[in-house]
């Protein structure tokens, strides 16, 4: 047989295209639908990593019971991100090398999402995230989809609740001086300015402070009638809360999510009674949140928190989106996620915007003698 | 004035913690001429031992306290035999690096067992504190200050008025001479490590109800305590105490009157100033090098 130039060109084209066709065919034709997940199995956040994996698994089990994804059973492929930035880059690259994985779950930590973001963009497949840095969905990476309200909402919700619900106008703001605390403090200060109640004290502190006496005395002297806070570490929060009460400051206090964190409640004890916090997950906030709480308790035997609720929602929304798209094509999945509206999740109702943000508000919860009680949900539409 | 008194009490309380850990630094430095960078981890390990016995096992507080200090004495022995003794004939650098390695090992071992979440340890007293006029006195800080004063007196008596104390002093001043006089240098160094581990442990147990029990608690305090030893004069017991107290008061007042976020900065600013203008510290003697 004589090899013509045309035959050679056709063969070359087929050879080059074959791996992509096979990859695509493998994903479509695989026995199961695979979802990759980077989670801190080891490292400082290993405990919260366990909760995150449990949340995702509970959602996946429900999806599989309801018929799976595109008629197939779904499967979770987990890689350890070691709670570090290099760790998550390595974990994601291992998962990305598996062509039959159709979408991924990233991290709850913004810094880790920033670290993996360039590889996500290169791969071009949807990645669900829990990091709350507003920039993550505003930096031109179309493959990141957020399942927690971003930080710009927490400041607005704290201000809104304190001014309009509690009726307090003289605010003291206390925030850590790291990226999280500074951004949160700024967002709260801006929201208060907008509501016509500029803060009478805006105080930063360095993480891992052993003593907050000067801060408490500054709050006392400022004449503030309400405190808004952004604490990064629970032990700082615990030390401050105790000293605040010991030195006789009993003004209302609305804090960022760490104020209702299980560890913070354990460390500070009664010093945090009657404080308020913004929480993306509150069990009594909706029927979907209650259902997740029950499902989680049945399996894990402890109360769930936002470490598990966001992964639960991410798997639920992603599965529904793939089913709606009718395909595992990344672009079609992306379109289906962005088209998700009024989806009842454990964290709230998902209404995705074009940036990839699914949630636009927070729950306000109250520490009622150590029990976290849902108070109200504040949603923003702008 | 109320504000000043409140800040002064807190500053002395925090400073007393630095002083206790600094004392451990100084004793080991005097005996071995090396800095033990695991001194902070001694505090952390003792605090976790208290969590094991007093919280997890529910044993009486005083019994847990004694067992924890006993455990620290044992750790002092292991540390001496495992970290210092094999390197005793080497220069100070390998020993210092070995102590850094040991501190990492201790921190990660506790992390592997207990995880990263901080733990709660109750204080000695039911009452959290007392209100004395305009000043609130935290009972745990009162205890820390009292223990520091007691230790200053004990150290003076022990090193100046007991034979063992004098042997330890002789060993720290000149090992060869002490050996020629029939003092077992290795035993004296062993005793120093035990005493330093117990002191570090005591600081950890005392401060744990205030700062909580966490993996980082030791390193955070140790860094300040190290600065305190330099300010006080490296190798001087009284200097460690005065340096620690001064550091606590300076950073508390600095935070209140200048800047809260730069609170740690004041401590190290003072340290730098001492290194530049008085490197021998408050009580240290000037050492001149011969040409």
């Amino acid at each position: 047989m004589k090899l013509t130039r045309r035959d050679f060109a056709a063969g070359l084209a087929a050879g080059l295209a074959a791996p992509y066709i096979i990859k695509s065919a493998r994903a479509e034709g695989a026995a199961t639908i695979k979802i990759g997940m980077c989670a801190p199995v080891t490292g400082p956040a290993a405990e919260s990593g366990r909760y995150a994996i449990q949340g995702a698994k509970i959602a996946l089990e429900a999806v599989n019971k309801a018929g799976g994804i595109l008629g197939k059973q779904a499967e979770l492929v987990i890689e350890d991100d070691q709670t570090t930035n290099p760790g998550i880059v390595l974990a994601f690259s291992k998962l990305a090398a598996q062509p039959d994985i159709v979408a991924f779950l990233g991290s709850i930590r913004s810094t880790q999402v920033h670290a993996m973001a360039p590889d996500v963009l290169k791969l071009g497949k949807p990645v669900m995230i829990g990091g709350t840095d507003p920039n993550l969905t505003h930096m031109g990476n179309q493959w990141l989809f957020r399942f927690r309200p971003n930080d710009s909402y927490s400041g607005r919700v704290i201000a809104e609740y304190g001014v309009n619900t509690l009726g307090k106008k003289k605010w003291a703001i206390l925030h850590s001086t790291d990226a999280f605390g500074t951004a949160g403090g700024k967002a709260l200060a801006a929201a208060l300015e907008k509501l016509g109640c500029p803060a009478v004290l805006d105080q930063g502190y360095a993480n891992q402070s052993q003593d907050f006496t000067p801060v408490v005395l500054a709050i006392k002297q400022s004449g503030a009638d309400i405190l808004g806070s952004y604490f990064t570490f629970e032990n700082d929060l615990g030390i401050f809360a105790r000293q605040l009460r010991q030195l006789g400051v009993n003004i209302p206090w609305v804090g960022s999510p760490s104020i209702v964190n299980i560890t913070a409640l354990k460390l500070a004890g009664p010093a945090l009674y009657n404080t308020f916090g913004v929480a993306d997950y509150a069990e009594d906030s909706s029927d979907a949140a209650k259902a997740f709480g029950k499902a989680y308790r049945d399996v894990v035997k402890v109360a769930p928190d936002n470490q598990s609720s966001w992964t639960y929602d991410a798997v639920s929304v992603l599965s529904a989106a793939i089913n709606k798209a009718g395909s595992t094509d990344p672009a079609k999945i992306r379109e289906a996620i962005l088209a998700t509206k009024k989806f009842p999740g454990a964290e709230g109702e998902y209404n995705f915007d074009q940036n990839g943000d699914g949630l636009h508000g927070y729950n306000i919860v109250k520490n009622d003698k150590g029990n976290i009680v849902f108070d109200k949900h504040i949603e923003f539409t702008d | 004035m109320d504000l000043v008194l409140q800040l002064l009490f807190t500053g002395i309380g925090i400073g007393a913690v630095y002083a206790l850990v600094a004392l451990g630094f100084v004793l080991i430095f005097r005996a071995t001429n090396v800095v033990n960078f695991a001194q902070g981890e001694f505090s952390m390990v003792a605090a976790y031992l208290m969590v094991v016995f007093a919280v997890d096992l529910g044993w009486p507080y005083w019994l847990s306290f004694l067992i924890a200090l006993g455990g620290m004495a044992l750790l002092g022995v292991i540390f001496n035999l495992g970290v210092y003794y094999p390197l005793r004939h080497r220069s100070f650098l390998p020993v210092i690096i070995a102590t850094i390695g040991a501190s990492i090992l201790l921190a990660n071992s506790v992390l592997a067992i207990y995880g990263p979440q901080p733990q709660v340890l109750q204080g000695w007293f039911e009452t959290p504190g007392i209100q004395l006029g305009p000043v609130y006195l935290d009972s745990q800080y009162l205890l820390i200050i009292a223990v520091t004063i007691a230790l200053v007196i004990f150290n003076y008596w022990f090193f100046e008025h007991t034979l063992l104390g004098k042997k330890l002093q002789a060993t720290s001043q000149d090992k060869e001479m002490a050996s020629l006089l029939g003092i077992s240098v290795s035993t004296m160094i062993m005793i120093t490590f035990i005493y330093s581990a117990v002191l570090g442990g005591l600081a950890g147990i005392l401060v744990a109800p205030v700062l909580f029990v966490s993996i980082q608690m030791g390193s955070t305090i140790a860094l300040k305590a190290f600065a305190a030893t330099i300010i006080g004069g490296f190798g001087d017991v009284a200097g460690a105490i005065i340096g620690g107290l001064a550091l606590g008061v300076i950073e508390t007042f600095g935070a209140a009157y200048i800047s809260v976020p730069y609170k740690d900065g004041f401590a190290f600013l003072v340290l730098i100033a001492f290194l530049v203008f008085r490197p021998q510290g408050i009580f240290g003697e000037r050492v001149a090098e011969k040409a």
Side-chain angles (χ1 to χ4, degrees):
Chain A
M1 195 182 101
K2 197 181 167 192
L3 186 69
T4 64
R5 198 178 292 171
R6 185 176 292 172
D7 291 339
F8 178 76
L12 188 68
L16 288 172
Y20 298 97
I21 294 165
I22 292 165
K23 267 187 198 176
S24 175
R26 274 180 70 184
E28 294 281 353
T32 57
I33 296 282
K34 288 183 180 171
I35 298 169
M37 180 177 187
C38 301
V41 179
T42 60
E47 195 175 342
S48 52
R50 258 201 331 268
Y51 301 152
I53 292 169
Q54 286 291 359
K57 279 185 174 171
I58 290 168
L60 208 65
E61 205 183 309
V63 167
N64 284 336
K65 262 188 192 165
I69 302 173
L70 300 177
K72 293 173 188 170
Q73 291 293 287
E75 184 190 339
L76 208 58
V77 185
I78 299 162
E79 276 294 335
D80 179 15
D81 70 23
Q82 301 164 41
T83 329
T84 65
N85 290 0
I88 202 163
V89 171
L90 182 67
F92 185 68
S93 71
K94 279 184 190 171
L95 292 172
Q98 300 179 44
D100 47 352
I101 293 181
V102 298
F104 306 83
L105 268 68
S107 176
I108 194 170
R109 281 167 192 76
S110 298
T111 174
Q112 284 189 303
V113 181
H114 274 297
M116 69 191 287
D119 291 340
V120 172
L121 195 59
K122 221 181 287 173
L123 181 70
K125 284 184 180 178
V127 177
M128 319 300 121
I129 58 166
T132 52
D133 176 358
N135 292 326
L136 290 171
T137 48
H138 293 75
M139 57 187 188
N141 192 332
Q142 58 174 339
W143 299 106
L144 298 175
F145 303 90
R146 188 176 354 237
F147 287 80
R148 295 178 66 211
N150 75 47
D151 288 336
S152 69
Y153 294 110
S154 64
R156 290 174 69 185
V157 170
I158 291 173
E160 172 79 23
Y161 187 77
V163 173
N164 293 331
T165 305
L166 299 177
K168 302 291 179 186
K169 313 277 184 205
K170 291 180 79 180
W171 282 75
I173 299 173
L174 177 61
H175 61 87
S176 61
T177 47
D178 61 11
F180 160 75
T182 306
K186 270 187 189 166
L188 177 55
L192 287 171
E193 285 270 0
K194 223 173 172 181
L195 291 170
C197 311
V200 293
L201 176 76
D202 190 344
Q203 181 67 69
Y205 72 89
N207 284 330
Q208 307 296 346
S209 288
Q210 293 108 28
D211 175 53
F212 284 91
T213 307
V215 176
V216 174
L217 295 177
I219 293 170
K220 219 173 174 176
Q221 288 187 320
S222 72
D225 61 7
I226 187 167
L227 170 66
S229 70
Y230 278 84
F231 275 89
T232 306
F233 291 104
E234 292 88 359
N235 47 347
D236 283 332
L237 179 62
I239 294 168
F240 171 74
R242 280 188 184 181
Q243 291 188 326
L244 187 76
R245 301 314 186 205
Q246 283 173 353
L247 295 174
V249 182
N250 290 304
I251 55 176
W253 178 5
V254 191
S256 64
S258 59
I259 200 170
V260 286
N261 179 301
I262 292 164
T263 309
L265 300 182
K266 191 174 83 174
L267 297 181
L272 283 180
Y273 287 0
N274 296 321
T275 57
F276 301 91
V278 293
D280 32 331
Y281 175 70
E283 193 163 352
D284 292 326
S285 62
S286 68
D287 290 340
K290 280 179 195 160
F292 168 65
K294 187 185 176 308
Y296 191 86
R297 271 203 186 81
D298 288 347
V299 176
V300 192
K301 313 291 178 206
V302 293
D305 64 6
N306 61 4
Q307 301 287 342
S308 52
S309 57
W310 85 266
T311 56
Y312 176 85
D313 284 353
V315 170
S316 306
V317 170
L318 174 65
S319 307
I322 299 173
N323 278 332
K324 201 171 153 194
S327 161
T328 56
D329 177 63
K332 286 182 180 164
I333 297 175
R334 179 177 181 273
E335 278 170 30
I337 294 173
L338 294 182
T340 301
K341 303 285 176 204
K342 294 191 178 300
F343 186 99
E347 297 228 345
E349 189 181 78
Y350 284 85
N351 290 294
F352 274 88
D353 59 26
Q354 286 311 297
N355 299 315
D357 275 305
L359 296 168
H360 306 271
Y362 265 101
N363 301 306
I364 287 282
V365 291
K366 186 182 177 184
N367 182 331
D368 185 16
K369 292 185 179 167
N371 297 313
I372 299 304
V373 183
F374 172 70
D375 190 352
K376 69 190 287 190
H377 181 85
I378 298 176
E379 183 82 7
F380 294 100
T381 47
D382 55 332
Chain B
M1 191 60 194
D2 301 353
L3 180 74
V4 172
L5 287 174
Q6 186 66 61
L7 291 170
L8 189 66
F9 172 74
T10 310
I12 292 173
I14 280 280
V17 178
Y18 300 154
L20 283 179
V21 179
L23 213 53
F25 271 122
V26 167
L27 292 175
I28 289 183
F29 180 76
R30 278 159 59 112
T32 62
N33 283 330
V34 294
V35 180
N36 174 22
F37 280 104
Q39 192 66 31
E41 269 59 41
F42 285 171
S43 303
M44 180 269 295
V45 170
Y48 271 97
L49 285 176
M50 279 299 286
V51 171
V52 171
F53 296 112
V55 181
D56 295 348
L57 297 175
W59 291 2
Y61 206 88
W62 63 269
L63 182 63
S64 308
F65 176 72
L66 292 178
I67 294 172
L69 289 189
M72 292 316 296
L74 185 65
L75 182 63
V77 173
I78 296 167
F79 198 87
N80 178 39
L81 295 178
V83 180
Y84 173 72
Y85 198 73
L87 300 169
R88 67 193 182 285
H89 297 307
R90 307 282 289 275
S91 68
F92 71 97
L93 202 58
V95 187
I96 286 177
I97 291 168
T99 66
I100 293 171
S103 78
I104 295 168
L105 178 71
L106 285 172
N108 283 284
S109 303
V110 176
L111 180 69
I113 299 166
Y114 259 92
Q117 303 303 334
Q119 307 290 323
V120 180
L121 180 68
Q122 296 305 320
W124 282 94
F125 308 107
E126 292 278 317
T127 319
I130 48 169
Q131 191 75 40
L132 198 71
V135 183
Y136 179 84
L137 305 175
D138 186 298
S139 54
Q140 198 64 26
Y141 276 135
L142 281 175
L143 179 66
I144 292 168
I145 294 167
V147 169
T148 308
I149 294 168
L151 272 173
V152 170
I153 297 166
F154 174 77
N155 275 331
Y156 175 75
W157 169 79
F158 179 67
F159 284 107
E160 301 297 333
H161 296 283
T162 67
L163 185 62
L164 182 60
K166 285 177 178 168
K167 280 183 181 177
L168 285 169
Q169 285 219 62
T171 308
S172 72
Q173 284 164 10
D174 192 332
K175 289 184 193 58
E176 279 183 22
M177 192 61 188
S179 187
L180 286 171
L181 291 171
I183 297 169
S184 170
V185 171
S186 54
T187 308
M188 292 304 115
I189 290 174
M190 174 73 87
I191 291 169
T192 306
F193 269 99
I194 292 171
Y195 187 46
S196 297
V198 170
L199 271 183
L202 187 63
I205 294 168
L206 287 173
V207 83
V210 183
L211 302 185
F212 306 118
V213 182
S214 68
I215 307 295
Q216 302 83 15
M217 66 179 283
S219 51
T220 315
I221 302 167
L223 209 59
K224 301 278 181 64
F226 183 62
T229 53
I230 293 171
I231 291 167
F234 226 110
D236 192 279
V237 172
I241 305 284
I242 299 294
L245 293 175
L247 209 61
V249 172
I250 289 168
E251 67 173 22
T252 305
F253 275 87
Y257 289 106
I258 304 171
S259 164
V260 173
Y262 291 103
K263 190 180 87 172
D264 292 341
F266 300 124
F268 296 111
L269 211 61
V270 175
L271 172 69
I272 292 165
F274 264 90
L275 287 174
V276 172
F277 299 109
R278 194 176 163 83
Q280 70 270 34
I282 299 171
F283 292 97
E285 288 167 13
R286 196 180 178 85
V287 179
E289 279 187 27
K290 286 180 183 171

